[in-house]
Amino acid sequence: VLYIARIPPRMGPAKVKTLLSEFGPVTRVYLVEEDRSARKRRRKLAGGAGAGGKRYTEGWVEFEDKKVARLVGERLNNTPITNHKRSVHYGDLWNVKYLRKFKWEHLTEKVAYERRIREQKMRIEMMQARRENAAYAEKVEQGMVLDRIEERRKKKGKSVDRPKGRKDRKLRQTSTVEEGASGPAKKAVLGSLV
């Protein structure tokens, strides 16, 4: 199995397979898509439609023969992808490594494990959002009940008493210090700033 550390823009699994099948029969290709947040940021900076389609960050390629894969890993690393100047990939280098004793099953296990973790995080976030939503709805309902109680008391002519938990707070406004003022007030203000 070959590991490709960097996938250039505009290169997908089909393109990788056609380029590497020149060296020997390729059985499987797996490329990791870039993160959604990174794609969103890239598209925003590039101006939407001009940002291009999917991009991939890294990938794995399985050759039919291990010897071919090892040779490709040794010879292709740090070589140009193409020498044609009009090609999109002109100037890009292959960054590949042959992974000894690495089976395709290891990769599928890793991908399945990451998917399970992602699903579990999503489930936890959804439960948290439902809990917050339920708490908010309960508070809104309590507020509506209290408003109805106050309205009924006002209609009957009774004084509206505050619930035990609420207190009317009286705030004292401090006097302002004028620009030309001098004296103890100015010294107190300047002293508190230092």
Side-chain angles (χ1 to χ4, degrees), residues 174-191:
T174 56
S175 59
T176 60
V177 178
E178 298 297 325
E179 219 175 280
S182 64
K186 188 173 182 182
K187 287 179 183 176
V189 169
L190 292 176

PDB file of all heavy atoms in Angstrom, residues 174-191:
ATOM      1  N   THR A 174     -23.322  57.537  40.571  1.00  0.00           N
ATOM      2  CA  THR A 174     -22.244  58.350  41.125  1.00  0.00           C
ATOM      3  C   THR A 174     -22.142  59.643  40.340  1.00  0.00           C
ATOM      4  O   THR A 174     -22.440  59.688  39.138  1.00  0.00           O
ATOM      5  CB  THR A 174     -20.903  57.594  41.054  1.00  0.00           C
ATOM      6  OG1 THR A 174     -20.676  57.223  39.702  1.00  0.00           O
ATOM      7  CG2 THR A 174     -20.930  56.349  41.916  1.00  0.00           C
ATOM      8  N   SER A 175     -21.737  60.665  41.003  1.00  0.00           N
ATOM      9  CA  SER A 175     -21.646  61.959  40.328  1.00  0.00           C
ATOM     10  C   SER A 175     -20.440  61.972  39.395  1.00  0.00           C
ATOM     11  O   SER A 175     -19.417  61.336  39.645  1.00  0.00           O
ATOM     12  CB  SER A 175     -21.525  63.080  41.361  1.00  0.00           C
ATOM     13  OG  SER A 175     -20.366  62.859  42.146  1.00  0.00           O
ATOM     14  N   THR A 176     -20.570  62.700  38.297  1.00  0.00           N
ATOM     15  CA  THR A 176     -19.501  62.756  37.303  1.00  0.00           C
ATOM     16  C   THR A 176     -18.459  63.779  37.705  1.00  0.00           C
ATOM     17  O   THR A 176     -18.736  64.732  38.433  1.00  0.00           O
ATOM     18  CB  THR A 176     -20.072  63.136  35.929  1.00  0.00           C
ATOM     19  OG1 THR A 176     -20.705  64.410  36.032  1.00  0.00           O
ATOM     20  CG2 THR A 176     -21.058  62.097  35.461  1.00  0.00           C
ATOM     21  N   VAL A 177     -17.251  63.598  37.210  1.00  0.00           N
ATOM     22  CA  VAL A 177     -16.157  64.525  37.477  1.00  0.00           C
ATOM     23  C   VAL A 177     -16.020  65.408  36.259  1.00  0.00           C
ATOM     24  O   VAL A 177     -15.821  64.919  35.141  1.00  0.00           O
ATOM     25  CB  VAL A 177     -14.845  63.749  37.746  1.00  0.00           C
ATOM     26  CG1 VAL A 177     -13.705  64.717  37.982  1.00  0.00           C
ATOM     27  CG2 VAL A 177     -15.024  62.822  38.917  1.00  0.00           C
ATOM     28  N   GLU A 178     -16.176  66.678  36.430  1.00  0.00           N
ATOM     29  CA  GLU A 178     -16.085  67.630  35.315  1.00  0.00           C
ATOM     30  C   GLU A 178     -14.634  67.783  34.888  1.00  0.00           C
ATOM     31  O   GLU A 178     -13.709  67.478  35.632  1.00  0.00           O
ATOM     32  CB  GLU A 178     -16.648  68.999  35.752  1.00  0.00           C
ATOM     33  CG  GLU A 178     -18.104  68.967  36.144  1.00  0.00           C
ATOM     34  CD  GLU A 178     -19.004  68.584  34.982  1.00  0.00           C
ATOM     35  OE1 GLU A 178     -18.719  68.959  33.845  1.00  0.00           O
ATOM     36  OE2 GLU A 178     -20.000  67.861  35.221  1.00  0.00           O
ATOM     37  N   GLU A 179     -14.481  68.298  33.667  1.00  0.00           N
ATOM     38  CA  GLU A 179     -13.137  68.411  33.109  1.00  0.00           C
ATOM     39  C   GLU A 179     -12.258  69.375  33.888  1.00  0.00           C
ATOM     40  O   GLU A 179     -11.107  69.110  34.173  1.00  0.00           O
ATOM     41  CB  GLU A 179     -13.245  68.886  31.643  1.00  0.00           C
ATOM     42  CG  GLU A 179     -12.249  68.206  30.744  1.00  0.00           C
ATOM     43  CD  GLU A 179     -12.475  68.601  29.306  1.00  0.00           C
ATOM     44  OE1 GLU A 179     -13.375  68.046  28.678  1.00  0.00           O
ATOM     45  OE2 GLU A 179     -11.742  69.469  28.842  1.00  0.00           O
ATOM     46  N   GLY A 180     -12.808  70.501  34.240  1.00  0.00           N
ATOM     47  CA  GLY A 180     -12.007  71.512  34.930  1.00  0.00           C
ATOM     48  C   GLY A 180     -12.019  71.340  36.432  1.00  0.00           C
ATOM     49  O   GLY A 180     -11.456  72.155  37.155  1.00  0.00           O
ATOM     50  N   ALA A 181     -12.697  70.315  36.918  1.00  0.00           N
ATOM     51  CA  ALA A 181     -12.847  70.147  38.371  1.00  0.00           C
ATOM     52  C   ALA A 181     -11.532  69.722  39.015  1.00  0.00           C
ATOM     53  O   ALA A 181     -10.723  69.040  38.419  1.00  0.00           O
ATOM     54  CB  ALA A 181     -13.912  69.108  38.666  1.00  0.00           C
ATOM     55  N   SER A 182     -11.375  70.160  40.220  1.00  0.00           N
ATOM     56  CA  SER A 182     -10.221  69.727  41.001  1.00  0.00           C
ATOM     57  C   SER A 182     -10.718  69.458  42.413  1.00  0.00           C
ATOM     58  O   SER A 182     -11.810  69.857  42.790  1.00  0.00           O
ATOM     59  CB  SER A 182      -9.130  70.814  41.005  1.00  0.00           C
ATOM     60  OG  SER A 182      -9.615  71.964  41.660  1.00  0.00           O
ATOM     61  N   GLY A 183      -9.950  68.802  43.157  1.00  0.00           N
ATOM     62  CA  GLY A 183     -10.385  68.551  44.529  1.00  0.00           C
ATOM     63  C   GLY A 183     -10.390  67.077  44.837  1.00  0.00           C
ATOM     64  O   GLY A 183      -9.782  66.254  44.136  1.00  0.00           O
ATOM     65  N   PRO A 184     -11.110  66.697  45.892  1.00  0.00           N
ATOM     66  CA  PRO A 184     -11.069  65.295  46.373  1.00  0.00           C
ATOM     67  C   PRO A 184     -11.688  64.303  45.391  1.00  0.00           C
ATOM     68  O   PRO A 184     -11.237  63.174  45.293  1.00  0.00           O
ATOM     69  CB  PRO A 184     -11.849  65.337  47.688  1.00  0.00           C
ATOM     70  CG  PRO A 184     -12.660  66.580  47.653  1.00  0.00           C
ATOM     71  CD  PRO A 184     -11.945  67.543  46.755  1.00  0.00           C
ATOM     72  N   ALA A 185     -12.732  64.723  44.638  1.00  0.00           N
ATOM     73  CA  ALA A 185     -13.374  63.788  43.694  1.00  0.00           C
ATOM     74  C   ALA A 185     -12.415  63.409  42.579  1.00  0.00           C
ATOM     75  O   ALA A 185     -12.290  62.225  42.204  1.00  0.00           O
ATOM     76  CB  ALA A 185     -14.651  64.404  43.104  1.00  0.00           C
ATOM     77  N   LYS A 186     -11.737  64.422  42.030  1.00  0.00           N
ATOM     78  CA  LYS A 186     -10.785  64.144  40.953  1.00  0.00           C
ATOM     79  C   LYS A 186      -9.626  63.283  41.442  1.00  0.00           C
ATOM     80  O   LYS A 186      -9.188  62.354  40.766  1.00  0.00           O
ATOM     81  CB  LYS A 186     -10.275  65.460  40.372  1.00  0.00           C
ATOM     82  CG  LYS A 186      -9.426  65.289  39.135  1.00  0.00           C
ATOM     83  CD  LYS A 186      -9.081  66.602  38.506  1.00  0.00           C
ATOM     84  CE  LYS A 186      -8.275  66.401  37.251  1.00  0.00           C
ATOM     85  NZ  LYS A 186      -7.891  67.665  36.639  1.00  0.00           N
ATOM     86  N   LYS A 187      -9.126  63.563  42.638  1.00  0.00           N
ATOM     87  CA  LYS A 187      -8.025  62.771  43.181  1.00  0.00           C
ATOM     88  C   LYS A 187      -8.450  61.322  43.410  1.00  0.00           C
ATOM     89  O   LYS A 187      -7.689  60.397  43.173  1.00  0.00           O
ATOM     90  CB  LYS A 187      -7.535  63.385  44.500  1.00  0.00           C
ATOM     91  CG  LYS A 187      -6.755  64.662  44.305  1.00  0.00           C
ATOM     92  CD  LYS A 187      -6.322  65.237  45.620  1.00  0.00           C
ATOM     93  CE  LYS A 187      -5.606  66.566  45.436  1.00  0.00           C
ATOM     94  NZ  LYS A 187      -5.253  67.200  46.696  1.00  0.00           N
ATOM     95  N   ALA A 188      -9.669  61.127  43.842  1.00  0.00           N
ATOM     96  CA  ALA A 188     -10.164  59.782  44.101  1.00  0.00           C
ATOM     97  C   ALA A 188     -10.267  58.983  42.811  1.00  0.00           C
ATOM     98  O   ALA A 188      -9.898  57.804  42.742  1.00  0.00           O
ATOM     99  CB  ALA A 188     -11.515  59.832  44.800  1.00  0.00           C
ATOM    100  N   VAL A 189     -10.768  59.629  41.741  1.00  0.00           N
ATOM    101  CA  VAL A 189     -10.918  58.964  40.451  1.00  0.00           C
ATOM    102  C   VAL A 189      -9.550  58.633  39.885  1.00  0.00           C
ATOM    103  O   VAL A 189      -9.295  57.526  39.423  1.00  0.00           O
ATOM    104  CB  VAL A 189     -11.762  59.818  39.467  1.00  0.00           C
ATOM    105  CG1 VAL A 189     -11.680  59.240  38.073  1.00  0.00           C
ATOM    106  CG2 VAL A 189     -13.180  59.914  39.938  1.00  0.00           C
ATOM    107  N   LEU A 190      -8.639  59.608  39.881  1.00  0.00           N
ATOM    108  CA  LEU A 190      -7.307  59.364  39.338  1.00  0.00           C
ATOM    109  C   LEU A 190      -6.550  58.343  40.166  1.00  0.00           C
ATOM    110  O   LEU A 190      -5.787  57.542  39.647  1.00  0.00           O
ATOM    111  CB  LEU A 190      -6.517  60.685  39.256  1.00  0.00           C
ATOM    112  CG  LEU A 190      -7.038  61.693  38.219  1.00  0.00           C
ATOM    113  CD1 LEU A 190      -6.247  62.973  38.307  1.00  0.00           C
ATOM    114  CD2 LEU A 190      -6.944  61.115  36.816  1.00  0.00           C
ATOM    115  N   GLY A 191      -6.747  58.352  41.463  1.00  0.00           N
ATOM    116  CA  GLY A 191      -6.089  57.403  42.339  1.00  0.00           C
ATOM    117  C   GLY A 191      -6.569  55.968  42.086  1.00  0.00           C
ATOM    118  O   GLY A 191      -5.797  55.014  42.181  1.00  0.00           O
TER     119      GLY A 191
END
